[in-house]
């Protein structure tokens, strides 16, 4: 229980526990005031029901029409209050969801935790956790918390009415006479308590099934997205049959989980539905002796029935909201796991102190699973120098560049980056979404000087795209591999990094085009230090410093 409370507070505190939370608490106050008004109207309607049914039994037409008019006023007020209570509740939900989403997105992207989490693979579907789990958690917490408080007020209001209507009952049991005050309240309490215990016994499996449901649904959706993102490669291979088989396997897990959920909910609903229907008769049966003894009128019986159902509804809150509690618990568990993973990956090694040269001293690398790659690597790169790293494929050269760019946390040893900003151009650059101008300036904000952007495109051989800077298209499908690499060099010209890492950044270009782009970088960024991995031997003369990493291979 202590752990649960700690996890709950960790998710709630950033929004509810600061000085800026007063607006949220004000919204809560408004919602509770409106909810309290609804309960007060229900009390008035409960009193109205006695007068109405007594007038109905007496066939008093004049009083009946007057009571109809009174009920109409109650309904109009009820509609306005009920609608605005829901409106303010939704306002509170979206504000909390916005704050929690911003917090988690910020921490997920901070210190490149999102990248390191993708390497370890320990957290599935972060998109679902940020989108759906936050929504379910926030909505569940707001709805359940407010409903709980409203149920308490409703119970407090109607239990006194039901107690006063119960009178004093004398029962002879086992030869002794028992005097019971408020016996209808005790009937409602015992009936609701028994129902809650049985519901807990029938529903204990639902938590684990719901956690698995969220996971398999998210996995299937992520698989569909991967098929969409890689549609061209799948079509080129003709891999439709295998992809269909993979999707059907993923969906079969959804079906299996769904059947488990169906069976668990079936057992729960058998009891819940019967329990709910019987509850309509319990107050009538309990108060029937009073009606037969003429100690209560028909209107009084209807008032008892109404008050009993209000008390029973409040006491049966746990039964009614149990599925929502299970869903809330599942989303909270996934969000807590996500937050813990973010903190763990943020605490991994950060980029060391920068200096006047790029210095690597006995640096060793491994995969996230612990498999050794390069070991005890040693070399130096002076500021403004051009260096090439060579070695057979799979040696760990790309991992070395990722480490030097501050991405890879799985290393031992010492190294010193160069002072200033660094940029790594991979073999296939990320294009993202937006206009061509935004794509070109990524990761910086788009520049307003379209003439400058057109000039950069012309320098890298993409002059024909200069008139399309404001267009927003599916650039990932439009640009070829060579054009993507030219665009990456255009980004480097705009970003002007102090250190530029090239990981097979010209592999889709012919040797002449690759040389032209590299010489462009040397001319436009003469102070930039360049460290490159390339298998194009025709470019070796551009790199005065060359380091063969084969000697540092673990094998």
């Amino acid at each position: 229980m202590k752990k649960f409370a700690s996890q709950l507070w960790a998710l709630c505190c950033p929004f509810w526990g600061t000085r800026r939370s007063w607006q949220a608490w004000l919204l809560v106050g408004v919602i509770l005031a409106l909810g309290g008004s609804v309960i007060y109207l229900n009390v008035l309607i409960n009193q109205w029901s006695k007068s109405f049914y007594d007038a109905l039994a007496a066939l008093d037409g004049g009083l009946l029409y007057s009571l109809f008019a009174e009920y109409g006023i109650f309904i109009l007020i009820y509609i306005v209050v009920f609608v605005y209570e829901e409106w303010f509740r939704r306002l509170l939900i979206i504000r909390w969801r916005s704050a929690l989403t911003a917090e988690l997105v910020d921490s997920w992207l901070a210190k490149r935790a999102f990248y390191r989490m993708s390497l370890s693979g320990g957290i599935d579907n972060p998109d679902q956790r940020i989108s759906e789990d936050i929504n379910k958690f926030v909505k569940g917490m707001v709805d359940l918390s407010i409903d709980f408080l409203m149920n308490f007020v409703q119970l407090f209001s109607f239990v006194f009415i039901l107690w006063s209507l119960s009178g004093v009952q004398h029962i002879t049991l086992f030869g002794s006479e028992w005097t019971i005050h408020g016996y209808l309240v005790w009937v409602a309490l015992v009936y609701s308590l028994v129902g809650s215990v049985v519901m807990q016994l029938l529903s204990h499996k639902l938590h684990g099934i719901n956690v698995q449901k969220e996971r398999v649904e998210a996995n299937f959706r992520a698989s569909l997205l991967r098929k969409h993102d890689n549609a061209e490669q799948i079509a080129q291979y003709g891999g439709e049959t295998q992809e269909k088989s993979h999707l059907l396997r993923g969906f079969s897990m959804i079906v299996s989980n769904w059947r488990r959920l169906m069976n668990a909910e079936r057992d729960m609903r058998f009891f819940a539905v019967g329990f709910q229907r019987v509850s309509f008769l319990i107050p009538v049966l309990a108060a029937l002796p009073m009606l037969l003894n003429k100690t209560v009128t028909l209107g009084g019986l209807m008032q008892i029935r109404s008050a009993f159902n209000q008390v029973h509804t409040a006491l049966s809150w746990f039964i009614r909201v149990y599925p929502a509690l299970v869903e809330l618990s599942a989303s909270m568990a996934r969000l807590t796991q996500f937050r813990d993973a973010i903190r763990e990956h943020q605490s991994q090694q950060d980029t060391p102190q920068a200096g006047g040269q790029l210095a690597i001293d006995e640096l060793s690398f491994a995969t996230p699973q612990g498999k050794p790659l390069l070991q005890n690597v040693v070399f130096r790169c002076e500021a403004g120098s051009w260096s090439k790293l060579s070695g057979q494929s799979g040696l760990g050269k790309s991992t070395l560049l990722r480490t030097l760019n501050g991405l890879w946390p799985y290393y031992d040893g010492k190294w010193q980056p160069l002072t200033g900003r660094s940029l790594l151009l991979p073999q296939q650059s990320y294009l993202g979404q937006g206009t061509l101008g935004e794509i070109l300036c990524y990761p910086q904000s788009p520049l307003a000087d379209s003439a400058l952007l057109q000039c950069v495109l012309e320098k890298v051989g993409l002059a024909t795209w200069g008139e399309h800077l404001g267009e927003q298209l599916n650039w990932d499908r439009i640009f070829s591999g060579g054009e993507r690499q030219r665009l990456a060099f255009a980004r480097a010209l705009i970003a002007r990094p102090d250190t530029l890492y090239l990981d097979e950044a010209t592999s889709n270009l012919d040797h002449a085009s690759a040389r032209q782009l590299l010489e462009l970088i040397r001319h436009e960024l003469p102070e930039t230090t360049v460290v490159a991995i390339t298998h194009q031997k025709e470019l070796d003369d551009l790199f005065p410093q060359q380091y063969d990493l084969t000697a540092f291979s673990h094998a």
Side-chain angles (χ1 to χ4, degrees), residues 228-244:
H228 175 268
D229 293 340
N230 298 280
E232 183 176 351
Q233 291 88 335
I234 293 172
Q236 288 172 347
Y237 275 105
E240 293 86 355
T241 300
Q242 186 171 352
E243 297 300 334
K244 176 183 176 181

Side-chain angles (χ1 to χ4, degrees), residues 358-532:
L358 178 62
I360 291 86
D361 296 317
E362 296 189 350
L363 203 56
S364 299
F365 312 91
T367 66
Q369 294 74 35
K371 179 183 177 182
L373 297 172
L374 291 170
Q375 301 291 299
N376 302 317
V377 178
V378 177
F379 65 87
R380 298 281 192 280
C381 296
E382 298 298 328
S385 64
W386 280 50
S387 305
K388 175 186 173 182
L389 307 180
S390 60
Q392 63 187 21
S393 298
L395 197 65
K397 304 185 298 297
S398 296
T399 303
L400 172 58
L401 287 193
R402 292 188 183 99
T403 304
L404 299 182
N405 197 43
L407 295 175
W408 197 262
Y410 307 104
Y411 69 85
D412 289 312
K414 297 180 181 179
W415 67 285
Q416 173 186 272
L418 278 160
T419 302
R421 295 181 296 116
S422 66
L423 178 66
L424 191 154
L425 302 187
Q427 187 173 6
Q428 183 170 328
S429 291
Y430 169 72
L431 296 186
Q433 298 174 322
T435 65
L436 179 57
E438 293 171 333
I439 297 300
L440 183 58
C441 296
Y442 186 86
Q444 303 177 74
S445 299
L447 300 178
D449 190 348
S450 58
L452 173 61
L453 298 182
Q454 290 174 344
C455 180
V456 171
L457 288 174
E458 183 178 356
K459 288 179 180 180
V460 298
L462 297 174
T464 56
W465 291 99
E467 300 300 323
H468 303 273
L469 291 171
E471 296 183 15
Q472 185 168 338
L473 303 173
N474 189 355
W475 304 110
D476 196 54
R477 294 283 188 267
I478 292 174
F479 284 123
S480 66
E483 287 176 322
R484 293 168 73 108
Q485 292 189 333
R486 290 179 183 275
L487 186 67
F489 276 88
R491 287 173 170 174
L493 293 178
I494 294 172
R496 306 186 69 83
D498 298 284
T499 305
L500 181 62
Y501 299 108
L502 306 176
D503 186 2
E504 298 287 358
T506 59
S507 59
N508 291 325
L509 299 169
D510 59 77
H511 301 145
S513 298
R515 177 177 290 274
Q516 181 183 11
L517 286 175
L518 290 172
E519 289 179 342
L520 176 65
I521 292 294
R522 175 165 282 170
H523 177 266
E524 297 288 333
L525 307 175
E527 303 297 325
T528 297
T529 305
V530 177
V531 181

